[in-house]
Amino acid sequence: GAEGRGARRRAGRERARPGPSRVGDGGLRCAGKAAPGEEVGVLLCDVGDAGSLATMARQTRVVLNCVGPYRFFGEPVVQACVENGASCIDISGEPQFLEGMYLKYNEKAAEKGVYVVGSCGFDSIPADMGVLYTRDKLKGTLTAVESFLSVKSGPEGLGVHDGTWKSAVYGLADEDSLKKLRKQIGYAPVPVVGAKLKKRGFVFYSPEFKEYCITFMGSDGSVVKRTQRYLHSELQQTPVQYGAYVTLGGLGSVIKLMFMGMLFLLLVKFNFGRKLLTKYPKFFSGGYFSKEGPTQKQMDGTSFTMTFFGEGYSEGQDPQTGKPNVKICTEVKGPEPGYIATPIAMVQAALSLLEDAASLPKKGGVYSPGAAFSKTKLIDRLNKRGVEFSVISKPEV
């Protein structure tokens, strides 16, 4: 709920030491007691006031950074954490921010021994950890996975806060900057192991779901690729190819989406168009995005399922020769993704940073979730909190 509410933002804390009643101009104040348990202070800080952020970061081990759109408000929090020795987790679905933080702060975070882990909400823990879960459950070598996201809502329909809408508007408007950023980083190519995963069309019919599907436009694909690159280059693990899709429903849903999508892509290219899109999110999104966000009834009636279809090679078979001969189907399911599943994922990721420290990468740095948490108990923690990972089937071809 911190998105789109002016420049004054709050950063959450995990296991912070209680502070004094006021510290300097940073506006650090105690605000009552947590019940049950010991007293927990409330720190007020402002992304425009570096001193207040430093004061906050010095008093904690992990900061939960919820200041989206991150392209406008995220970096000062990351900078304060890295410079003052606190780890940092965010729920960003903005590749430009996530990869920009890697370019700017990876080396400094490694020097300080702190971990900056982006996209620890619905974007992109279900996808990133879901691919790793699928890999670990296959007897053999997993080489390719496709995921299909289905979001179901009750009679009240779906609702999303317009902060997410703004992130999409500005992200698509600035795609060229992301390409330049990636050239600057100079990513090593991820090798293709096994049969090459075929790219599907932007819109296609899925016989498995009996619905039309489209390519998922979120950050999942780029986050999973970063994880697979890290696991291959640093841990010499076989990289997994990945395709992300979302189910839409019938032909009527496709036609409606195509019309709205073309209008969106046209307007996002121009300054006046972006102003219209951000001023009237409800109108241009067909009622899904609003400045109020979802109602409690909408959240209660909404859930998600992400289904993973994986293929690979049985134990003893060389993935570089022949066709894949084993398949697996897994799923991750949970409550309403944006406002219930996201905080669950974020808090459990923070607990993994604190309590599974021996299983984290040996040195600090800026990581994707799968790179940071592949050896931790994060999936077990999520399973206990209602974001459930399970194997559906393991048929052989």
Side-chain angles (χ1 to χ4, degrees):
E3 295 176 336
R5 294 185 187 174
R8 181 170 288 272
R9 307 284 161 143
R10 289 181 183 174
R13 302 172 304 148
E14 191 68 43
R15 282 202 178 170
R17 297 190 297 275
S21 59
R22 177 175 283 277
V23 176
D25 295 328
L28 166 59
R29 299 170 188 167
C30 253
K33 294 182 178 180
E38 61 188 65
E39 185 175 317
V40 177
V42 173
L43 299 171
L44 297 184
C45 50
D46 190 320
V47 293
D49 180 352
S52 71
L53 293 175
T55 297
M56 175 270 298
R58 280 196 294 268
Q59 296 187 67
T60 186
R61 290 168 61 195
V62 179
V63 173
L64 308 186
N65 182 12
C66 307
V67 296
Y70 287 87
R71 65 168 51 238
F72 300 130
F73 306 112
E75 184 175 352
V77 182
V78 174
Q79 185 176 2
C81 288
V82 172
E83 289 179 352
N84 292 281
S87 290
C88 181
I89 280 177
D90 68 52
I91 49 173
S92 173
E94 303 167 46
Q96 193 175 334
F97 169 77
L98 296 165
E99 295 175 49
M101 294 306 96
Y102 173 81
L103 179 65
K104 284 189 176 183
Y105 296 102
N106 184 52
E107 287 183 13
K108 194 177 279 188
E111 286 169 19
K112 291 276 190 175
V114 299
Y115 297 87
V116 177
V117 191
S119 51
C120 286
F122 180 69
D123 288 0
S124 294
I125 276 185
D128 206 13
M129 300 306 294
V131 170
L132 298 185
Y133 177 83
T134 306
R135 178 200 68 183
D136 292 344
K137 293 299 179 184
L138 182 76
K139 285 186 178 176
T141 304
L142 184 73
T143 56
V145 174
E146 291 182 319
S147 71
F148 290 80
L149 169 65
S150 299
V151 179
K152 303 298 180 191
S153 60
E156 299 283 325
L158 289 171
V160 189
H161 193 272
D162 81 323
T164 304
W165 176 259
K166 285 177 184 172
S167 296
V169 169
Y170 294 117
L172 278 168
D174 203 21
E175 267 190 312
D176 288 344
S177 296
L178 179 57
K179 290 172 186 172
K180 288 175 188 172
L181 174 66
R182 286 173 174 166
K183 276 187 180 178
Q184 210 176 339
I185 292 170
Y187 286 127
V190 181
V192 172
V193 176
K196 189 170 183 179
L197 184 63
K198 290 178 184 175
K199 269 195 171 183
R200 296 177 182 259
F202 183 72
V203 180
F204 60 94
Y205 183 78
S206 166
E208 292 91 352
F209 294 96
K210 296 182 172 57
E211 289 186 41
Y212 284 93
C213 305
I214 61 165
T215 299
F216 183 61
M217 300 296 285
S219 60
D220 286 356
S222 64
V223 172
V224 169
K225 194 166 188 176
R226 285 174 56 215
T227 291
Q228 294 304 317
R229 180 182 287 109
Y230 171 83
L231 295 176
H232 173 68
S233 62
E234 298 295 324
L235 304 180
Q236 290 71 54
Q237 294 179 5
T238 302
V240 179
Q241 303 167 69
Y242 178 62
Y245 305 99
V246 58
T247 63
L248 275 187
L251 201 55
S253 299
V254 174
I255 293 166
K256 182 182 175 183
L257 182 87
M258 295 294 275
F259 174 76
M260 285 166 48
M262 285 189 289
L263 183 62
F264 183 93
L265 291 172
L266 178 67
L267 290 172
V268 86
K269 291 178 181 177
F270 305 101
N271 189 42
F272 82 91
R274 292 191 289 275
K275 284 180 179 175
L276 281 174
L277 288 168
T278 53
K279 192 172 183 181
Y280 304 107
K282 203 164 191 175
F283 176 78
F284 288 106
S285 69
Y288 289 122
F289 292 86
S290 69
K291 295 182 185 296
E292 301 77 37
T295 64
Q296 188 61 50
K297 282 186 178 179
Q298 283 177 320
M299 288 191 283
D300 292 343
T302 303
S303 62
F304 80 89
T305 303
M306 193 174 277
T307 307
F308 298 81
F309 296 101
E311 65 178 26
Y313 296 77
S314 58
E315 291 172 327
Q317 184 175 347
D318 183 358
Q320 302 288 19
T321 59
K323 292 181 179 179
N325 68 333
V326 285
K327 287 187 176 181
I328 186 171
C329 178
T330 64
E331 76 174 17
V332 180
K333 62 181 181 179
E336 190 278 330
Y339 302 88
I340 303 176
T342 284
I344 290 170
M346 188 183 214
V347 171
Q348 296 312 310
L351 286 170
S352 286
L353 265 189
L354 290 167
E355 297 181 3
D356 304 342
S359 303
L360 296 173
K362 288 179 182 176
K363 62 179 183 179
V366 179
Y367 291 95
S368 57
F373 300 123
S374 66
K375 295 181 179 179
T376 69
K377 296 177 182 175
L378 177 56
I379 289 175
D380 294 338
R381 295 178 189 282
L382 291 169
N383 273 326
K384 290 173 185 172
R385 297 295 187 281
V387 178
E388 299 169 5
F389 293 66
S390 60
V391 176
I392 304 304
S393 63
K394 291 185 180 181
E396 291 206 356
V397 177

